[in-house]
Amino acid sequence: MANNDKQLMFTRNIGIMAHIDAGKTTTSERILFYTGLTHKIGETHDGTATMDWMAQEQERGITITSAATTTFWNYLGNRYKINLIDTPGHVDFTVEVERSLRVLDGAVATFCAVGGVEPQSETVWRQADKYNVPRIGYVNKMDRSGANYYEVVRQLKDVLGANPCPIQIPIGAEETFKGVVDLIKMKAIFWHDETMGAEYSVEEIPADLQAEAEEWRDKMLEALAECDDAIMEKYFDDPSTITEEEIMVAIRKGTLAMQINPMTCGSSFKNKGVQTLLDAVCAFLPSPEDTPAIEGTDPSDPDKIITRKPLFEEPLTALAFKIATDPYVGRLCFFRVYAGSINAGSYVLNTRSGKKERISRLFQMHSNKQQPKEVLEAGDICACVGFKDIRTGDTLCSEDKPIVLESMTFPEPVIGIAIEPLTQKDTDKLGMALAKLAEEDPTFRVKTDEDSGQTVISGMGELHLDIILDRLRREFKVECNQGAPQVSYKEAITVPVDHRHVFKKQSGGRGKFADIIFRMEPAEEGKEGLTFVNEVKGGNIPKEFIPSVEKGFKEAMQNGVLAGYALEALKITLIDGSFHPVDSDALSFEMAAKIGYKEAAQKAKPVLLEPIMKLEVVTPEDFMGDIIADLNRRRGQVESMDSRIGARVITAKVPLAEQFGYVTVLRTLSSGRASSSMEFDHYAEVPKNIAREVVEKANGRVDLI
């Protein structure tokens, strides 16, 4: 048993997260190279990166799906097992980051030394906060012109509200970047270019950096004194008595408590700084033992909390966080084992469906290659095949000790396009292919438009849908025509309405009867879906019919009265009603709710809502005027204009409907020198004149606007 505990102590489940182009995949490639998993360094820009294995990733040089791999690193005489997940940076694939962070114990937040904290860096940082993931910072691209380590450290503090604690400072910057000063050991580390950075020498600190190194070491000790009382005492008495071991212990303690974020730097592309980063991962990020015991609920009693410690002898508890399709082994399910162990060929319980699943084979993953395993234990991240029905976010556990872990929340899609297959032969294949893709990706939705019979696919952005169509073509050999992109509008009501609806039908024999009086009003701030309040007294409507009324309203919300778009939120209070002892049944009350909803919603001054995006444009000063004028034309609201190394940053809120093809326009306006990134922010009301056009197009009720 002691051996197992040891094993857990030396396991690290980490992810690499960052903005687009900060160098996540390049860093992952170097990690694989130095740990001896690959013998040739893959490059993103050549399309040879191991972690970017999809054809679409190699062509575009971006990461689309999270790739997992397992590698080993020797640190201080111990062999550490590192389960690494490389996550995408692009906002359209934010779900990949979300589900990876849910199962990871720690993360390496990578920042570009030139760009600093970019919009997507903020998003992933917030996602890591949500799941309480301790992280260390790694400032990459120190060799690029304009690289500024200290500026990035400042931005972390000011923009993200983090507490960065540099444990290294760079020696030289831009083309003179040679190595780093280790502030813990107070030694300089220089990498040798001739051995691809695999070897490095530890030397004394150059004389011109001595004063700076001491200043930053003092800042580091000060930050640690706040996390550790023993250091605080020594810091005030005599800082020189603080030993290396004490510093290491204090950094680890502060990182796990999420009080500090140790900062390292390097240049992955130039093979500098990756080994010290791996050392920092082993030294400061949590093992599965350091994470608090995982909490779940009892499936038979949702209020009862069950905790499971990360031990091998506990009952099996695992969370499926991703489904992928592999051309050779079929459907793969990636999962994290939190407690207990799982054997190949054994049965597990899926608490969502309540069914048993046979796990026929287990694999340890290396990007898209699999290594078969007989048994997997607590703390592992791995994949399995041979299951019937497992979805993202399902809990897998032992049959006699069921548990439900908290699932993940996924953002709603904001953009849709209509697609139609070219030939009849494609029609049959299309349905299957779309079902497979929707199973893999929870932010991708497929629905058939009731009126036109069109298949509409919706996702997180233009790039997301582009990739989906590309995959249909390549993997599933389905050719499609696509329509113009459509925005996912929503509807809302603005005023409360009291309404009574009596539903009666008499056609010989048993009739139908239901009578409901309800109040319909806008939901409270921050609430989504239906808020249903039952205020019926004295059994005027029997208890067994109340769920039917709720169900009726829930279903009716999917179609708004203006143009058939769904309502995001609604509050219904059932006040009173009556029933007939013979003619009333559940269906009658459900119908009464549906028809009553339509009648009441027309009186409740319905409005159209559209997705508003947060846009960030980085541009040289010269083009500012044209870009802002263009944003105003697009109904955009400019919120701030900041300066960043040699450029201006414009932040604005712009409706998505006005943003199609924006990248091309921006290139034209700035002679190709400006760049932009966009992410969903919130839904807001559409101005009346535009709402009229949208409703007309959708053949809706223009008279209600």
Side-chain angles (χ1 to χ4, degrees), residues 260-298:
I260 57 168
N261 303 103
M263 298 292 294
T264 65
C265 61
S267 159
S268 299
F269 183 53
K270 292 282 173 54
N271 310 316
K272 295 181 174 123
V274 176
Q275 297 95 330
T276 47
L277 174 67
L278 278 167
D279 289 348
V281 163
C282 298
F284 309 129
L285 283 180
S287 71
E289 283 189 330
D290 299 314
T291 51
I294 185 135
E295 285 191 355
T297 53
D298 188 334

Side-chain angles (χ1 to χ4, degrees), residues 186-317:
M186 285 305 270
K187 290 279 190 240
I189 301 172
F190 293 99
W191 276 272
H192 304 312
D193 287 338
E194 54 278 8
T195 59
M196 304 272 291
E199 288 175 15
Y200 52 88
S201 52
V202 177
E203 298 169 23
E204 290 304 315
I205 300 171
D208 56 337
L209 271 174
Q210 190 69 38
E212 193 169 8
E214 279 174 4
E215 177 194 342
W216 279 98
R217 178 178 167 99
D218 195 58
K219 284 186 183 169
M220 171 180 84
L221 292 175
E222 194 178 334
L224 293 179
E226 289 173 20
C227 319
D228 193 306
D229 296 340
I231 288 202
M232 185 175 273
E233 281 176 29
K234 283 193 171 178
Y235 179 72
F236 286 125
D237 293 344
D238 181 5
S240 60
T241 58
I242 303 175
T243 63
E244 236 179 83
E245 277 75 48
E246 287 175 323
I247 296 179
M248 297 293 275
V249 167
I251 297 178
R252 183 171 174 85
K253 189 173 162 189
T255 312
L256 296 190
M258 292 180 59
Q259 288 170 321
I260 57 168
N261 303 103
M263 298 292 294
T264 65
C265 61
S267 159
S268 299
F269 183 53
K270 292 282 173 54
N271 310 316
K272 295 181 174 123
V274 176
Q275 297 95 330
T276 47
L277 174 67
L278 278 167
D279 289 348
V281 163
C282 298
F284 309 129
L285 283 180
S287 71
E289 283 189 330
D290 299 314
T291 51
I294 185 135
E295 285 191 355
T297 53
D298 188 334
S300 53
D301 175 11
D303 296 332
K304 186 175 163 192
I305 301 278
I306 309 174
T307 54
R308 297 269 162 91
K309 293 189 182 71
L311 299 169
F312 300 103
E313 61 265 26
E314 288 262 323
L316 170 70
T317 311

Side-chain angles (χ1 to χ4, degrees), residues 542-575:
K543 269 207 180 78
E544 61 265 30
F545 296 148
I546 302 287
S548 308
V549 177
E550 186 174 353
K551 183 181 167 205
F553 280 116
K554 208 172 227 157
E555 283 179 10
M557 272 174 72
Q558 298 308 316
N559 284 312
V561 286
L562 271 178
Y565 296 112
L567 264 78
E568 201 168 25
L570 183 67
K571 184 176 177 186
I572 297 278
T573 311
L574 188 59
I575 302 169

Side-chain angles (χ1 to χ4, degrees), residues 298-550:
D298 188 334
S300 53
D301 175 11
D303 296 332
K304 186 175 163 192
I305 301 278
I306 309 174
T307 54
R308 297 269 162 91
K309 293 189 182 71
L311 299 169
F312 300 103
E313 61 265 26
E314 288 262 323
L316 170 70
T317 311
L319 180 79
F321 66 96
K322 179 175 174 166
I323 308 289
T325 309
D326 184 280
Y328 303 110
V329 292
R331 282 164 60 230
L332 276 170
C333 160
F334 286 78
F335 61 95
R336 154 87 193 260
V337 184
Y338 283 103
S341 60
I342 178 166
N343 295 329
S346 61
Y347 283 92
V348 297
L349 174 74
N350 180 350
T351 44
R352 176 184 58 81
S353 61
K355 292 192 176 80
K356 283 195 318 193
E357 289 280 359
R358 184 169 183 265
I359 307 294
S360 56
R361 287 166 35 221
L362 291 170
F363 297 112
Q364 201 152 39
M365 293 304 293
H366 174 46
S367 180
N368 63 334
K369 298 179 187 58
Q370 303 93 11
Q371 292 164 346
K373 289 274 181 191
E374 281 306 303
V375 60
L376 284 162
E377 296 167 318
D380 266 331
I381 292 180
C382 45
C384 65
V385 293
F387 54 89
K388 285 195 180 79
D389 171 34
I390 298 181
R391 295 187 202 154
T392 301
D394 284 357
T395 308
L396 308 176
C397 56
S398 55
E399 295 166 56
D400 51 345
K401 296 272 176 69
I403 181 170
V404 179
L405 300 176
E406 181 194 10
S407 190
M408 295 165 251
T409 47
F410 298 117
E412 287 289 313
V414 289
I415 174 172
I417 52 173
I419 56 168
E420 55 186 31
L422 286 181
T423 61
Q424 188 55 45
K425 196 165 92 196
D426 286 338
T427 311
D428 308 336
K429 286 195 287 192
L430 180 69
M432 269 174 54
L434 288 175
K436 272 191 176 163
L437 290 168
E439 183 182 47
E440 280 182 35
D441 184 349
T443 55
F444 168 63
R445 307 279 165 86
V446 182
K447 66 172 200 282
T448 308
D449 193 307
E450 288 172 11
D451 306 331
S452 62
Q454 277 180 322
T455 304
V456 177
I457 57 173
S458 20
M460 299 304 293
E462 286 182 86
L463 178 67
H464 187 187
L465 294 179
D466 242 11
I467 299 270
I468 292 258
L469 289 167
D470 198 30
R471 286 187 63 186
L472 280 178
R473 215 167 290 129
R474 284 197 198 174
E475 288 171 37
F476 301 100
K477 310 283 185 282
V478 179
E479 292 290 335
C480 295
N481 283 331
Q482 60 190 76
Q486 299 153 344
V487 176
S488 295
Y489 290 101
K490 298 238 165 114
E491 292 183 24
I493 58 164
T494 50
V495 296
V497 168
D498 284 1
H499 188 74
R500 177 174 192 175
H501 183 75
V502 181
F503 177 73
K504 33 173 124 66
K505 269 197 172 146
Q506 201 68 46
S507 54
R510 245 183 94 178
K512 298 266 185 205
F513 179 83
D515 164 24
I516 53 172
I517 303 171
F518 62 92
R519 178 178 304 115
M520 177 187 277
E521 54 196 319
E524 292 154 26
E525 199 71 30
K527 286 227 172 138
E528 283 187 9
L530 175 68
T531 311
F532 186 78
V533 182
N534 174 22
E535 287 183 357
V536 177
K537 303 270 190 314
N540 287 349
I541 301 176
K543 269 207 180 78
E544 61 265 30
F545 296 148
I546 302 287
S548 308
V549 177
E550 186 174 353

Side-chain angles (χ1 to χ4, degrees), residues 621-673:
E621 186 100 26
D622 316 352
F623 310 109
M624 276 254 316
D626 295 351
I627 291 172
I628 287 175
D630 177 64
L631 285 176
N632 291 336
R633 246 196 326 276
R634 294 172 184 271
R635 305 197 279 130
Q637 286 177 326
V638 176
E639 291 191 330
S640 67
M641 286 177 269
D642 302 320
S643 297
R644 195 181 289 167
I645 318 165
R648 299 299 296 267
V649 181
I650 308 166
T651 329
K653 297 265 175 57
V654 191
L656 177 65
E658 308 285 342
Q659 281 300 89
F660 292 128
Y662 180 67
V663 175
T664 323
V665 172
L666 184 65
R667 277 190 196 135
T668 318
L669 287 175
S670 67
S671 324
R673 288 173 64 192

Side-chain angles (χ1 to χ4, degrees), residues 90-147:
H90 205 286
V91 61
D92 288 18
F93 310 111
T94 186
V95 58
E96 289 284 342
V97 185
E98 182 92 20
R99 56 185 173 192
S100 304
L101 286 171
R102 169 76 176 82
V103 296
L104 291 170
D105 301 326
V108 176
T110 311
F111 300 95
C112 166
V114 183
V117 175
E118 296 167 285
Q120 196 58 23
S121 323
E122 288 185 55
T123 311
V124 292
W125 195 265
R126 281 201 301 276
Q127 283 173 317
D129 280 340
K130 180 164 126 190
Y131 294 118
N132 292 326
V133 176
R135 49 221 101 136
I136 55 179
Y138 172 60
V139 178
N140 188 18
K141 304 196 177 185
M142 282 302 300
D143 58 315
R144 274 186 51 194
S145 69

